[in-house]
Amino acid sequence: MNKFLLSAVLIFFAVLSGKAQFANTRWTGEANSDQPVSIIWDFKTDTVKIYMLPDSSLVETMTYKVEDTVLFLKKVSGASACDDVVVGKYKIDLKADKVIFLTIDDPCEHRSEGISKETYSMIK
């Protein structure tokens, strides 16, 4: 196998394993807002839904992708002031069953202020 093909295969599996870390997982924690709000991140294959507790009301649906340790988010629908074009870019700090999303670049301040630097725990 030549070096180019081997590199392409390794990159492909790295991308798949990054997305696999989140696909079909649920995480809970508090959104950073004026008043702390408990939320659940419900990751599916390529979408994530955010629910507000205690009533589990759906507040946001976004598409996502993971490349290496970077999470990309784009709004599909929901209550935030973000439009459906702007993509947020977050560094993933994943340790065991805890994750923190650190803003790299997100023109939508409403989203970045709400989720950045908060610790979310995996729901098992």
Side-chain angles (χ1 to χ4, degrees), residues 1 10 18 20 22 32 34 55 61 64-65 70 73 75 78 80 82-83 90-92 98 100 118-119:
M1 190 179 304
L10 291 174
F22 289 102
N32 185 16
D34 296 338
D55 64 354
T61 301
Y64 80 94
K65 69 178 179 175
V70 178
L73 296 171
K75 179 180 176 177
S80 76
C82 304
D83 63 32
Y90 295 83
K91 170 87 170 136
I92 299 168
K98 306 274 187 209
I100 299 172
E118 297 299 318
T119 301

Side-chain angles (χ1 to χ4, degrees), residues 1 7 9 11 13 17 21-22 28 32 38 43 46 48 55 59 63 71 78-79 84 86 93 99 102 108 112 117 123:
M1 190 179 304
S7 296
V9 168
I11 289 169
F13 283 110
S17 67
Q21 290 176 334
F22 289 102
T28 188
N32 185 16
S38 294
F43 285 89
D46 59 359
V48 58
D55 64 354
V59 292
T63 58
L71 173 68
D84 61 357
V86 173
D93 185 4
V99 67
L102 303 167
C108 180
S112 65
K117 300 179 187 171
I123 300 172

